[in-house]
Structure formats: C-alpha cells, structure tokens
Amino acid sequence: MGRRLYVGNLSYQVQESELEQLFAQAGSVASVFVPRDKFTGQGRGFAFVEMGTDAEAQVAIEKFHEQSLGGRSMKVNEARPQDSHGGGGGVDPTGAPSRVGRSRSRHSS
C-alpha cells in the first residue's frame, strides 16, 4: 500500500487547504496537490493527497471513500503510477500523426 492517494469526483472549487484539513482527521498529511486548469485556475475535479504513513493512507481510504464533500461523493483510492504511454495524440501505427481529440474542421461556418 502506498501513501499517495487519488481523490476524485471533487468540486472544481475545492482548495488544497480544505483537503488538508479533512484528511488530517485520518493522520498526518505530507502534501496535497490539486491540478488546475492553466487558463481559469479552476480545479480539475481531482487531487492527490500524500499521507505520512501507509497505515494513515489506509485509514483515509476507509474514512473518506464515498463521503460527501461539497455535495459530491468523493472517490478515494491508492494513486497508481502514471501510464508510460502518455495521453492522446502522437503517431498512429502507420506512422501518420494521430488525429485523436481533433475536430474535423478548423473553421466554423
């Protein structure tokens, strides 16, 4: 069991301090990271919380998974390592640039 937790289904307005106070009820909180939209500064609906020990992380999962925060039911589980394949885009198997996530037309009529 790792100490780093993924916390999903969060309100876009949630703040690091709010999560730190909440998760401190389960033990020592080493860090809180809420990814934010680079244009609006608004949260992206999830966060990473690192607890002081594996045991505290397990307590936090048991205590906060599916608990309501800001009217939304949080999803709390152990954070998994980032997939080495990365996000969308790149090159398809034929070597051509991938069109994943692109719209069909760049101009609106």
Side-chain angles (χ1 to χ4, degrees):
M1 165 101 219
R3 298 182 304 176
R4 188 172 169 149
L5 302 176
Y6 169 83
V7 184
N9 199 35
L10 294 174
S11 161
Y12 297 127
Q13 286 72 38
V14 74
Q15 298 294 315
E16 285 87 349
S17 59
E18 185 177 6
L19 289 173
E20 184 172 3
Q21 289 176 351
L22 181 66
F23 278 79
Q25 295 174 27
S28 60
V29 177
S31 66
V32 176
F33 174 63
V34 177
R36 301 198 173 278
D37 180 272
K38 66 181 177 179
F39 299 110
T40 67
Q42 189 174 51
R44 295 180 57 202
F46 65 95
F48 295 98
V49 176
E50 186 173 356
M51 301 299 293
T53 67
D54 290 355
E56 290 170 333
Q58 186 60 44
V59 169
I61 291 170
E62 292 168 5
K63 185 174 183 85
F64 300 120
H65 182 68
E66 296 187 352
Q67 179 178 319
S68 180
L69 177 66
R72 301 187 73 154
S73 179
M74 291 186 292
K75 306 299 179 203
V76 182
N77 51 49
E78 185 176 0
R80 290 182 239 146
Q82 187 174 12
D83 186 9
S84 63
H85 295 102
V91 177
D92 74 11
T94 66
S98 173
R99 300 187 67 89
V100 174
R102 292 187 185 173
S103 63
R104 291 181 186 242
S105 172
R106 292 183 183 239
H107 305 286
S108 59
S109 301

Coordinates of all heavy atoms in Angstrom, one line a residue, residues 1-65:
M1 N 0.8 -1.2 0.0 CA 0.0 0.0 0.0 C 0.9 1.2 0.0 O 1.8 1.3 0.8 CB -0.9 -0.1 1.2 CG -1.6 1.2 1.6 SD -3.3 1.2 1.1 CE -3.5 2.8 0.5
G2 N 0.6 2.2 -0.9 CA 1.4 3.4 -0.9 C 0.7 4.5 -0.1 O -0.4 4.4 0.3
R3 N 1.5 5.5 0.1 CA 1.0 6.7 0.9 C 0.2 7.7 0.1 O -0.5 8.5 0.6 CB 2.1 7.3 1.7 CG 2.8 6.4 2.6 CD 3.9 7.1 3.4 NE 4.8 7.7 2.4 CZ 5.9 8.4 2.8 NH1 6.1 8.7 4.0 NH2 6.7 8.9 1.8
R4 N 0.4 7.6 -1.2 CA -0.1 8.6 -2.1 C -1.5 8.2 -2.6 O -1.7 7.1 -3.1 CB 0.7 8.9 -3.3 CG 0.3 10.0 -4.2 CD 1.3 10.3 -5.2 NE 0.7 11.3 -6.2 CZ 1.3 12.2 -6.8 NH1 2.6 12.3 -6.7 NH2 0.6 13.0 -7.6
L5 N -2.5 9.1 -2.4 CA -3.9 8.8 -2.7 C -4.4 9.6 -3.8 O -4.1 10.8 -3.9 CB -4.8 9.0 -1.4 CG -4.4 8.3 -0.2 CD1 -5.3 8.7 1.0 CD2 -4.5 6.8 -0.4
Y6 N -5.3 9.0 -4.6 CA -6.0 9.7 -5.6 C -7.4 10.1 -5.1 O -8.1 9.2 -4.5 CB -6.2 8.9 -6.9 CG -7.2 9.4 -7.9 CD1 -6.8 10.4 -8.8 CD2 -8.5 9.0 -7.9 CE1 -7.7 10.9 -9.7 CE2 -9.4 9.5 -8.8 CZ -9.0 10.5 -9.7 OH -9.9 11.0 -10.6
V7 N -7.8 11.3 -5.2 CA -9.1 11.7 -4.7 C -9.9 12.3 -5.8 O -9.5 13.3 -6.4 CB -9.0 12.8 -3.5 CG1 -10.4 13.1 -3.0 CG2 -8.1 12.3 -2.4
G8 N -10.9 11.6 -6.3 CA -11.7 12.0 -7.4 C -13.1 12.5 -7.1 O -13.6 12.4 -6.0
N9 N -13.8 12.9 -8.2 CA -15.1 13.4 -8.1 C -15.3 14.6 -7.2 O -16.2 14.7 -6.4 CB -16.1 12.3 -7.7 CG -17.5 12.7 -8.1 OD1 -17.8 13.3 -9.1 ND2 -18.5 12.3 -7.3
L10 N -14.3 15.5 -7.2 CA -14.3 16.7 -6.4 C -15.0 17.9 -7.1 O -15.0 18.0 -8.3 CB -12.9 17.1 -6.0 CG -12.1 16.1 -5.2 CD1 -10.6 16.6 -5.1 CD2 -12.7 16.0 -3.8
S11 N -15.4 18.8 -6.3 CA -16.0 20.1 -6.8 C -14.8 20.8 -7.5 O -13.6 20.7 -7.0 CB -16.5 20.9 -5.7 OG -16.6 22.2 -6.1
Y12 N -15.0 21.6 -8.5 CA -14.0 22.3 -9.2 C -13.5 23.5 -8.3 O -12.4 24.0 -8.6 CB -14.4 22.9 -10.5 CG -14.8 21.8 -11.5 CD1 -16.0 21.7 -12.1 CD2 -13.9 20.8 -11.8 CE1 -16.4 20.7 -13.0 CE2 -14.2 19.8 -12.7 CZ -15.4 19.8 -13.3 OH -15.8 18.8 -14.2
Q13 N -14.2 23.8 -7.3 CA -13.8 24.9 -6.4 C -13.0 24.4 -5.1 O -12.6 25.2 -4.3 CB -15.0 25.6 -5.9 CG -15.7 26.5 -6.9 CD -16.4 25.8 -8.0 OE1 -17.0 24.8 -7.7 NE2 -16.3 26.2 -9.3
V14 N -12.8 23.1 -5.0 CA -12.1 22.6 -3.8 C -10.7 23.2 -3.7 O -10.0 23.4 -4.7 CB -12.1 21.1 -3.8 CG1 -11.1 20.5 -4.8 CG2 -11.8 20.6 -2.4
Q15 N -10.2 23.5 -2.5 CA -8.9 24.1 -2.3 C -8.0 23.1 -1.5 O -8.5 22.2 -0.8 CB -9.1 25.4 -1.4 CG -9.9 26.5 -2.1 CD -9.2 27.0 -3.3 OE1 -8.0 27.3 -3.3 NE2 -10.0 27.2 -4.4
E16 N -6.7 23.2 -1.7 CA -5.8 22.4 -1.1 C -5.9 22.4 0.5 O -5.9 21.4 1.1 CB -4.3 22.8 -1.4 CG -3.9 22.4 -2.8 CD -4.3 23.4 -3.9 OE1 -5.0 24.4 -3.6 OE2 -3.8 23.3 -5.0
S17 N -6.2 23.6 1.0 CA -6.3 23.7 2.5 C -7.5 22.9 3.0 O -7.5 22.4 4.1 CB -6.4 25.2 2.9 OG -7.5 25.8 2.2
E18 N -8.6 22.9 2.2 CA -9.8 22.2 2.6 C -9.5 20.7 2.7 O -9.9 20.0 3.6 CB -10.9 22.5 1.6 CG -12.2 21.9 1.9 CD -13.3 22.3 0.8 OE1 -12.9 23.0 -0.2 OE2 -14.4 22.0 1.1
L19 N -8.8 20.2 1.7 CA -8.5 18.8 1.7 C -7.5 18.4 2.8 O -7.6 17.4 3.4 CB -7.9 18.4 0.3 CG -9.0 18.3 -0.8 CD1 -8.3 18.1 -2.2 CD2 -10.0 17.3 -0.6
E20 N -6.5 19.3 3.0 CA -5.5 19.1 4.0 C -6.2 18.9 5.4 O -5.9 18.0 6.2 CB -4.5 20.2 4.0 CG -3.4 19.9 5.0 CD -2.2 20.9 4.9 OE1 -2.3 21.8 4.1 OE2 -1.2 20.7 5.7
Q21 N -7.1 19.9 5.7 CA -7.9 19.8 7.0 C -8.7 18.5 7.1 O -8.7 17.9 8.1 CB -8.8 21.0 7.1 CG -8.0 22.3 7.3 CD -8.9 23.5 7.4 OE1 -10.1 23.4 7.1 NE2 -8.4 24.7 7.7
L22 N -9.3 18.2 6.0 CA -10.2 17.0 6.0 C -9.4 15.7 6.3 O -9.6 14.9 7.2 CB -11.0 16.9 4.7 CG -11.9 15.7 4.6 CD1 -13.1 15.8 5.6 CD2 -12.5 15.5 3.2
F23 N -8.3 15.5 5.5 CA -7.5 14.3 5.5 C -6.7 14.2 6.8 O -6.2 13.2 7.2 CB -6.7 14.1 4.3 CG -7.5 13.5 3.1 CD1 -8.3 14.3 2.4 CD2 -7.4 12.2 2.8 CE1 -9.1 13.8 1.4 CE2 -8.2 11.6 1.8 CZ -9.0 12.4 1.1
A24 N -6.4 15.4 7.5 CA -5.7 15.4 8.7 C -6.5 14.6 9.8 O -5.9 14.1 10.8 CB -5.4 16.8 9.2
Q25 N -7.8 14.4 9.6 CA -8.6 13.6 10.5 C -8.2 12.1 10.5 O -8.5 11.4 11.4 CB -10.1 13.7 10.2 CG -10.6 15.1 10.3 CD -12.1 15.2 9.8 OE1 -12.8 14.2 9.8 NE2 -12.5 16.3 9.4
A26 N -7.4 11.7 9.4 CA -7.0 10.3 9.3 C -5.5 10.2 9.6 O -5.0 9.0 9.7 CB -7.2 9.8 7.8
G27 N -4.8 11.3 9.9 CA -3.4 11.2 10.2 C -2.6 12.4 9.6 O -3.2 13.4 9.2
S28 N -1.3 12.2 9.6 CA -0.5 13.3 9.1 C -0.5 13.4 7.6 O -0.5 12.4 6.9 CB 0.9 13.2 9.6 OG 1.5 12.0 9.1
V29 N -0.7 14.6 7.1 CA -0.8 14.9 5.6 C 0.6 15.4 5.2 O 1.0 16.5 5.7 CB -1.9 15.8 5.3 CG1 -1.9 16.1 3.8 CG2 -3.3 15.3 5.7
A30 N 1.3 14.7 4.3 CA 2.6 15.2 3.8 C 2.4 16.2 2.7 O 3.2 17.2 2.7 CB 3.4 14.0 3.3
S31 N 1.4 16.1 1.8 CA 1.2 17.0 0.8 C -0.2 16.9 0.2 O -0.8 15.8 0.2 CB 2.3 16.9 -0.3 OG 2.2 15.7 -1.0
V32 N -0.6 18.0 -0.5 CA -1.9 18.0 -1.2 C -1.6 18.7 -2.5 O -1.0 19.8 -2.5 CB -3.0 18.7 -0.4 CG1 -4.3 18.7 -1.3 CG2 -3.3 18.0 0.9
F33 N -2.1 18.1 -3.6 CA -1.9 18.7 -4.9 C -3.2 18.6 -5.7 O -3.8 17.5 -5.9 CB -0.8 18.0 -5.7 CG -0.7 18.5 -7.2 CD1 -0.4 19.8 -7.4 CD2 -1.0 17.7 -8.2 CE1 -0.3 20.3 -8.7 CE2 -0.9 18.1 -9.5 CZ -0.5 19.4 -9.8
V34 N -3.8 19.8 -6.0 CA -5.0 19.9 -6.8 C -4.6 20.4 -8.2 O -4.3 21.6 -8.3 CB -6.0 20.8 -6.2 CG1 -7.3 21.0 -7.1 CG2 -6.4 20.3 -4.8
P35 N -4.6 19.6 -9.2 CA -4.3 20.1 -10.6 C -5.3 21.1 -11.0 O -6.5 21.0 -10.7 CB -4.4 18.8 -11.5 CG -4.2 17.7 -10.5 CD -4.8 18.1 -9.2
R36 N -4.8 22.2 -11.6 CA -5.7 23.3 -12.0 C -5.6 23.6 -13.5 O -4.6 23.4 -14.1 CB -5.3 24.6 -11.2 CG -5.4 24.3 -9.8 CD -5.5 25.6 -9.0 NE -5.7 25.4 -7.6 CZ -6.9 25.1 -7.1 NH1 -8.0 25.2 -7.8 NH2 -7.1 24.9 -5.8
D37 N -6.7 24.1 -14.1 CA -6.8 24.5 -15.5 C -5.8 25.7 -15.6 O -5.9 26.6 -14.8 CB -8.2 24.9 -15.8 CG -8.3 25.3 -17.3 OD1 -8.1 26.5 -17.5 OD2 -8.6 24.5 -18.1
K38 N -5.0 25.6 -16.6 CA -4.0 26.7 -16.8 C -4.6 28.0 -17.2 O -3.9 29.1 -17.0 CB -2.9 26.2 -17.8 CG -3.3 26.1 -19.2 CD -2.1 25.6 -20.0 CE -2.6 25.4 -21.5 NZ -1.4 24.9 -22.3
F39 N -5.8 28.0 -17.7 CA -6.4 29.3 -18.2 C -7.3 29.9 -17.1 O -7.3 31.1 -16.9 CB -7.2 29.1 -19.5 CG -6.3 28.6 -20.6 CD1 -6.4 27.3 -21.1 CD2 -5.4 29.5 -21.2 CE1 -5.6 26.9 -22.1 CE2 -4.5 29.1 -22.2 CZ -4.7 27.8 -22.7
T40 N -8.1 29.0 -16.4 CA -9.1 29.6 -15.5 C -8.6 29.5 -14.0 O -9.1 30.1 -13.1 CB -10.4 28.8 -15.6 OG1 -10.2 27.4 -15.1 CG2 -10.9 28.8 -17.0
G41 N -7.6 28.6 -13.7 CA -7.1 28.4 -12.4 C -8.1 27.5 -11.6 O -7.8 27.3 -10.4
Q42 N -9.1 27.1 -12.2 CA -10.1 26.2 -11.5 C -9.6 24.8 -11.4 O -8.9 24.3 -12.2 CB -11.4 26.3 -12.4 CG -12.6 25.6 -11.7 CD -13.8 25.8 -12.6 OE1 -13.8 25.5 -13.8 NE2 -14.9 26.3 -12.0
G43 N -9.9 24.1 -10.3 CA -9.5 22.8 -10.1 C -10.1 21.9 -11.2 O -11.1 22.2 -11.8
R44 N -9.5 20.7 -11.4 CA -9.9 19.8 -12.5 C -10.8 18.7 -12.0 O -11.0 17.8 -12.7 CB -8.6 19.3 -13.2 CG -7.9 20.5 -13.9 CD -6.7 20.0 -14.6 NE -7.0 19.0 -15.6 CZ -6.1 18.2 -16.1 NH1 -4.8 18.3 -15.7 NH2 -6.4 17.3 -17.0
G45 N -11.2 18.7 -10.7 CA -12.1 17.7 -10.2 C -11.4 16.5 -9.6 O -12.1 15.6 -9.2
F46 N -10.1 16.6 -9.4 CA -9.4 15.5 -8.7 C -8.2 16.1 -8.0 O -7.8 17.3 -8.2 CB -9.0 14.4 -9.6 CG -8.0 14.7 -10.6 CD1 -6.7 14.5 -10.4 CD2 -8.4 15.3 -11.8 CE1 -5.7 14.8 -11.4 CE2 -7.5 15.6 -12.8 CZ -6.1 15.4 -12.6
A47 N -7.6 15.3 -7.1 CA -6.4 15.8 -6.3 C -5.6 14.5 -5.9 O -6.1 13.4 -6.0 CB -6.9 16.5 -5.1
F48 N -4.4 14.8 -5.5 CA -3.5 13.8 -4.9 C -3.2 14.2 -3.5 O -2.8 15.4 -3.3 CB -2.3 13.7 -5.7 CG -2.5 13.1 -7.1 CD1 -2.6 14.0 -8.2 CD2 -2.7 11.8 -7.3 CE1 -2.9 13.5 -9.5 CE2 -3.0 11.3 -8.6 CZ -3.1 12.2 -9.7
V49 N -3.4 13.3 -2.5 CA -3.1 13.6 -1.1 C -2.0 12.5 -0.7 O -2.3 11.3 -0.9 CB -4.3 13.5 -0.3 CG1 -4.0 13.6 1.2 CG2 -5.3 14.5 -0.7
E50 N -0.9 13.0 -0.2 CA 0.1 12.1 0.3 C 0.0 12.1 1.9 O 0.2 13.1 2.5 CB 1.5 12.4 -0.1 CG 2.5 11.4 0.3 CD 3.9 11.7 -0.3 OE1 4.0 12.6 -1.1 OE2 4.8 10.9 0.0
M51 N -0.2 10.9 2.4 CA -0.3 10.7 3.9 C 1.1 10.4 4.4 O 1.9 10.0 3.7 CB -1.3 9.6 4.2 CG -2.7 9.9 3.7 SD -3.5 11.4 4.3 CE -3.7 11.0 6.1
G52 N 1.2 10.6 5.7 CA 2.5 10.3 6.4 C 3.0 8.9 6.4 O 4.1 8.6 6.2
T53 N 2.0 8.0 6.5 CA 2.4 6.5 6.5 C 1.4 5.7 5.7 O 0.3 6.2 5.4 CB 2.3 5.9 7.9 OG1 1.0 6.0 8.4 CG2 3.3 6.7 8.9
D54 N 1.7 4.5 5.4 CA 0.8 3.6 4.6 C -0.5 3.4 5.5 O -1.6 3.3 4.9 CB 1.5 2.3 4.3 CG 2.6 2.4 3.3 OD1 2.7 3.5 2.7 OD2 3.2 1.4 3.0
A55 N -0.3 3.2 6.8 CA -1.4 2.9 7.6 C -2.4 4.1 7.7 O -3.6 3.9 7.6 CB -0.9 2.6 9.1
E56 N -1.9 5.3 7.7 CA -2.7 6.5 7.7 C -3.4 6.6 6.3 O -4.6 7.0 6.3 CB -1.9 7.8 7.9 CG -1.4 7.9 9.3 CD -0.4 9.0 9.6 OE1 0.3 9.4 8.6 OE2 -0.3 9.4 10.7
A57 N -2.8 6.2 5.2 CA -3.4 6.3 3.9 C -4.6 5.3 3.9 O -5.7 5.6 3.4 CB -2.4 5.9 2.8
Q58 N -4.4 4.1 4.5 CA -5.5 3.1 4.5 C -6.7 3.6 5.3 O -7.8 3.5 4.9 CB -5.0 1.8 5.1 CG -6.0 0.7 5.0 CD -6.4 0.3 3.6 OE1 -5.6 0.3 2.7 NE2 -7.7 0.2 3.4
V59 N -6.4 4.3 6.5 CA -7.4 4.9 7.3 C -8.2 5.9 6.5 O -9.4 6.0 6.5 CB -6.9 5.5 8.6 CG1 -7.9 6.3 9.3 CG2 -6.3 4.4 9.5
A60 N -7.5 6.8 5.7 CA -8.1 7.8 4.9 C -9.0 7.2 3.9 O -10.1 7.7 3.6 CB -7.0 8.7 4.3
I61 N -8.6 6.1 3.2 CA -9.4 5.5 2.2 C -10.7 5.0 2.8 O -11.8 5.2 2.3 CB -8.7 4.3 1.5 CG1 -7.5 4.9 0.6 CG2 -9.6 3.5 0.7 CD1 -6.6 3.8 0.1
E62 N -10.6 4.3 4.0 CA -11.7 3.7 4.6 C -12.7 4.8 5.1 O -13.9 4.7 5.1 CB -11.3 2.8 5.8 CG -10.6 1.6 5.3 CD -9.9 0.8 6.4 OE1 -10.0 1.2 7.6 OE2 -9.2 -0.2 6.1
K63 N -12.1 5.9 5.6 CA -12.9 7.0 6.2 C -13.6 7.9 5.1 O -14.7 8.3 5.3 CB -12.0 7.9 7.1 CG -12.7 8.9 7.9 CD -11.7 9.6 8.8 CE -12.4 10.6 9.7 NZ -13.1 10.1 10.9
F64 N -12.9 8.2 4.0 CA -13.4 9.2 3.1 C -13.9 8.7 1.8 O -14.6 9.5 1.1 CB -12.3 10.3 2.8 CG -11.9 10.9 4.1 CD1 -10.5 10.9 4.5 CD2 -12.8 11.6 4.9 CE1 -10.1 11.5 5.7 CE2 -12.4 12.3 6.0 CZ -11.1 12.2 6.4
H65 N -13.7 7.4 1.4 CA -14.2 6.9 0.1 C -15.7 7.0 0.2 O -16.3 6.5 1.1 CB -13.7 5.5 -0.1 CG -14.2 5.0 -1.5 ND1 -13.8 5.5 -2.7 CD2 -15.1 4.0 -1.7 CE1 -14.3 4.8 -3.6 NE2 -15.2 3.9 -3.1

